[in-house]
Amino acid sequence: MSDPGRQRVTFTVNGEDRDAWVFPHDSLLDVLRDALGHHEVRYGCGEGVCGTCTVLLDGEPVSGCLLLAVQADGCSIVTVRGLAPGGDLHPLQACFLRNGAAQCGFCTPGMLLTAWALLQRDPRPSRERIRRELVGNLCRCTGYSKILDAVEEHAAQAAEGSGEPRRGAPVGREGSGEGTGGDA
Ligand code: FES
Ligand code: FES
């Protein structure tokens, strides 16, 4: 319903059409979590420092706490749930699990989405490049080496054709084009 001072924004989240009435100063993170119930998008610092709130905006990782919801109007958003439409783990997530890289529920969603976006641009990144790309996704406790191992393993599997990199790709316009699964 319309509300003075608010405006309607529409976008897709994990391939599903969503809309919300937002104030001009509302962050995308707050709208995703509070208005649309996407609590899998985590709140960390709220200041653009930790990468915890990373989502894909038209395929690119962004910090939802720094983006205004109105800036996402008309865009495709993918959260970590979009990596596993229907509940089947994306091969990248499976690599995280195998390598012990699925650490806490705060840093892992952002790490996964940033890594996924990197692998779209560079299917076989060096360990150094993976490290550089993930520099904005902070872990305060466990460390990074298992995460680097997991991303490397998924890249190697995809190069060998065993990782099926497109299967389970995030839903939405920039994804596989299958557009299924929605907010599963
Ligand atoms: S919560 Fe957005 S960068 Fe930390
Ligand atoms: S912040 Fe998630 S494991 Fe360190």
Side-chain angles (χ1 to χ4, degrees):
M1 177 182 286
S2 177
D3 192 351
R6 297 190 195 230
Q7 65 187 85
R8 183 169 178 255
V9 293
T10 61
F11 33 64
T12 64
V13 184
N14 301 334
E16 183 179 325
D17 292 334
R18 303 300 301 268
D19 67 88
W21 288 92
V22 304
F23 286 111
H25 58 267
D26 284 341
S27 72
L28 179 61
L29 174 61
D30 286 342
V31 171
L32 286 172
R33 285 180 57 87
D34 299 340
L36 300 179
H38 283 278
H39 296 120
E40 76 276 15
V41 187
R42 302 302 195 192
Y43 185 104
C45 65
E47 298 177 347
V49 173
C50 69
T52 298
C53 62
T54 300
V55 296
L56 299 178
L57 185 80
D58 288 340
E60 291 299 322
V62 297
S63 294
C65 70
L66 288 186
L67 205 75
L68 297 173
V70 292
Q71 292 175 289
D73 195 18
C75 294
S76 166
I77 295 160
V78 172
T79 75
V80 73
R81 280 196 222 172
L83 280 181
D88 291 331
L89 285 189
H90 188 281
L92 178 61
Q93 291 174 302
C95 286
F96 266 59
L97 273 183
R98 256 198 310 281
N99 285 275
Q103 298 173 169
C104 81
F106 278 85
C107 63
T108 301
M111 299 272 190
L112 282 165
L113 290 168
T114 301
W116 181 88
L118 164 63
L119 294 171
Q120 303 310 297
R121 294 192 301 274
D122 181 356
R124 205 64 201 270
S126 67
R127 193 170 179 92
E128 190 47 41
R129 176 150 197 217
I130 299 168
R131 191 191 308 275
R132 272 205 315 275
E133 293 286 327
L134 287 170
V135 75
N137 291 88
L138 303 186
C139 165
R140 301 153 193 81
C141 35
T142 311
Y144 299 92
S145 58
K146 291 177 179 177
I147 294 165
L148 301 178
D149 292 344
V151 178
E152 277 188 322
E153 180 181 301
H154 178 54
Q157 285 181 351
E160 292 164 6
S162 59
E164 302 179 74
R166 303 308 302 177
R167 182 177 67 77
V171 294
R173 288 195 299 268
E174 79 293 349
S176 63
E178 293 165 1
T180 57
D183 188 19

